[in-house]
Amino acid sequence: MSRHGDWYSKLQAVVKAHDRAPWERGKRDCATFVADCLLAIGADDILAGLRGNYTNRVELLRQIAALGFRNPMEIATSWCDSHGYPEIEPMFAQCGDLGITNNDTVCIRMTSGFLAMAESGGICIVTPIKAWAIEWA
């Protein structure tokens, strides 16, 4: 992925926008948060074909199953594999890298030692990097 020249400011803007917006499945949720962060950095839309096409968890899981996946983490893993992003140790993660926490939440590395992710309450939170289980450069 070729990052935009001003990717970090775009990434910060996405985090702030999601932090202030009401939670809405399919428009402002965990999946759209990560996808919007990746778009801000310069990636393809990881949610192409899913964005806005579900309004609850059951609909999302049905659509994910139709694509051959069991959960959003499998989509993230497949997307990274298909785009040539190698899995790396979380300790080597850089700002803007995609990761999965130990509790299977897809997230984005923001700064040294912290990451941002969306929770069902619509809030972007910061978690210590030691909670990461998988990371892609």
Side-chain angles (χ1 to χ4, degrees):
M1 162 179 57
S2 175
R3 293 186 180 198
H4 297 299
D6 59 346
W7 68 270
Y8 189 71
S9 62
K10 289 181 178 184
L11 179 60
Q12 288 178 314
V14 167
V15 171
K16 285 180 184 176
H18 275 266
D19 187 36
R20 295 181 178 135
W23 178 265
E24 186 177 356
R25 185 74 71 178
K27 295 183 181 174
R28 294 278 188 189
D29 60 21
C30 298
T32 58
F33 170 69
V34 169
D36 290 347
C37 286
L38 290 171
L39 285 169
I41 291 167
D44 299 338
D45 191 359
I46 194 171
L47 283 183
L50 290 175
R51 187 183 292 275
N53 290 329
Y54 59 93
T55 58
N56 61 57
R57 184 170 173 78
V58 173
E59 288 176 3
L60 173 62
L61 293 175
R62 278 191 195 128
Q63 290 187 34
I64 288 172
L67 295 173
F69 302 106
R70 292 179 301 206
N71 55 53
M73 284 63 65
E74 286 186 1
I75 290 176
T77 300
S78 175
W79 186 87
C80 287
D81 289 344
S82 69
H83 285 74
Y85 302 121
E87 186 175 318
I88 61 172
E89 290 294 321
M91 69 173 62
F92 298 117
Q94 301 294 312
C95 185
D97 287 347
L98 179 66
I100 297 178
T101 65
N102 288 332
N103 67 349
D104 291 337
T105 301
V106 180
C107 52
I108 296 288
R109 172 79 179 258
M110 292 300 296
T111 61
S112 179
F114 293 94
L115 58 95
M117 61 186 167
E119 290 284 304
S120 60
I123 302 168
C124 296
I125 62 172
V126 177
T127 303
I129 195 70
K130 66 183 180 181
W132 287 36
I134 299 172
E135 174 65 37
W136 295 276

